[in-house]
Amino acid sequence: MKKMVVANWKMNKGLVQSQQFAEELKTQLEKHKVLNADIVICPPFTSLDALNKRLNGTNVKLGAQNMYYETIGAFTGEISAGMLKSCGCEYVIVGHSERRQFFNETSAIVNKKVLMALDEGLKPILCVGENLQEHDDKLTESVIDGQITTCLGHVSVEDITNVTIAYEPIWAIGTGKNATPHQAESVHNFIRKKLKKIYNEEISKNARIIYGGSISPENAKELFASPSVNGGLVGGASLEVESFLKIINSAL
Ligand code: PEP
């Protein structure tokens, strides 16, 4: 399976900076002929349309960082899956820990988003992960188990093939302290076992499970080398073309 490298820009880059990044990335990708990884960029909503136009014809896909679980109506400030599709999105991140932490998103809400994204033909990138306390208390597996059970509720065996799971230990996000390849591998294998229980062996084997949490040009190769790690969700290091490209190249 091709590795997938997803850039999560969070609340960074206005329109001009986003466009500059896209132009530079395009030039570099053409030079280096990087075709072997699935690359997804998730900019702020306000840059989606412009990036769609600029990345058209490249192998770089577009994703959003969030969406709402209703299709239309009086939900001031929210964005629907259909709106994201109209801007060229193929992917949408759901359940990022910052959404859970700062915007009170529960796994039940995340489940509604996963179901709506799939209904509307978007591919969810579902984030799960334990916080530091849970990590220290050795609760990682039970936390992930609960998150997966709830977030994937009612997701059919056909639809699950369009879901990417991102294991993002919260203690590793933006801290410069990444999980070791061994830790990532072990949790990814746990997620596969869980998928086998919910779905079947084939789904478990073919599921795309990526790691996120302080991925950098320095540690990406080692993290991506694990057979169970199918790529990465990259925050801080995706904001500069140079470091993002190094990470993409580590995935080949
Ligand atoms: C993220 O927020 O998804 C993330 C992985 O951030 P960072 O790479 O900055 O830790």
Side-chain angles (χ1 to χ4, degrees), residues 3 128 140-141 144 148 165-169 179-195 204 207-212 223-224 226-233:
K3 301 267 178 189
V128 295
T140 300
E141 292 190 353
I144 304 275
I148 299 256
I165 296 177
Y167 168 53
E168 296 213 304
T180 63
H182 177 72
Q183 283 170 323
E185 168 99 359
S186 146
V187 177
H188 286 215
N189 284 334
F190 175 77
I191 295 172
R192 282 188 205 283
K193 264 193 246 156
K194 175 79 186 162
L195 292 174
S204 152
R208 178 130 70 174
I209 307 176
I210 61 177
Y211 164 79
L223 282 162
F224 293 163
S226 295
S228 205
V229 176
N230 306 120
L233 180 49

Side-chain angles (χ1 to χ4, degrees), residues 8 10 96 98 168 172-174 212-215 233-236:
N8 174 14
K10 313 191 183 190
H96 190 280
E98 286 151 17
E168 296 213 304
I173 295 178
S214 294
I215 295 182
L233 180 49
V234 189

Side-chain angles (χ1 to χ4, degrees), residues 62-133:
L62 205 54
Q65 299 173 19
N66 182 32
M67 56 165 267
Y68 194 50
Y69 54 73
E70 295 287 350
T71 48
I72 191 167
F75 304 105
T76 302
E78 294 296 329
I79 306 272
S80 73
M83 292 170 186
L84 297 179
K85 283 201 80 180
S86 76
C87 290
C89 282
E90 186 174 329
Y91 293 90
V92 60
I93 297 173
V94 287
H96 190 280
S97 62
E98 286 151 17
R99 301 284 328 161
R100 295 177 191 256
Q101 187 184 345
F102 301 127
F103 303 96
N104 301 321
E105 274 191 21
T106 61
S107 287
I109 293 174
V110 177
N111 176 233
K112 289 188 186 187
K113 294 187 176 192
V114 169
L115 292 171
M116 180 53 76
L118 289 166
D119 255 16
E120 296 282 319
L122 278 175
K123 296 174 183 164
I125 299 170
L126 167 65
C127 301
V128 295
E130 81 285 6
N131 65 28
L132 184 60
Q133 189 64 54

Side-chain angles (χ1 to χ4, degrees), residues 116-251:
M116 180 53 76
L118 289 166
D119 255 16
E120 296 282 319
L122 278 175
K123 296 174 183 164
I125 299 170
L126 167 65
C127 301
V128 295
E130 81 285 6
N131 65 28
L132 184 60
Q133 189 64 54
E134 292 159 343
H135 176 75
D136 289 347
D137 291 345
K138 311 225 173 319
L139 292 173
T140 300
E141 292 190 353
S142 70
V143 168
I144 304 275
D145 190 280
Q147 288 174 339
I148 299 256
T149 302
T150 306
C151 295
L152 290 182
H154 308 288
V155 174
S156 70
V157 70
E158 290 80 29
D159 279 345
I160 189 68
T161 56
N162 286 318
V163 178
T164 296
I165 296 177
Y167 168 53
E168 296 213 304
I170 298 170
W171 49 268
I173 295 178
T175 57
K177 202 174 130 195
N178 61 286
T180 63
H182 177 72
Q183 283 170 323
E185 168 99 359
S186 146
V187 177
H188 286 215
N189 284 334
F190 175 77
I191 295 172
R192 282 188 205 283
K193 264 193 246 156
K194 175 79 186 162
L195 292 174
K196 187 174 164 189
K197 255 192 247 163
I198 307 177
Y199 299 99
N200 58 48
E201 170 104 41
E202 202 190 333
I203 296 285
S204 152
K205 259 204 315 214
N206 297 329
R208 178 130 70 174
I209 307 176
I210 61 177
Y211 164 79
S214 294
I215 295 182
S216 67
E218 289 72 39
N219 61 27
K221 210 171 191 86
E222 206 190 1
L223 282 162
F224 293 163
S226 295
S228 205
V229 176
N230 306 120
L233 180 49
V234 189
S238 73
L239 292 172
E240 300 294 333
V241 172
E242 195 187 336
S243 54
F244 188 51
L245 258 182
K246 282 187 185 152
I247 293 170
I248 292 169
N249 283 322
S250 309

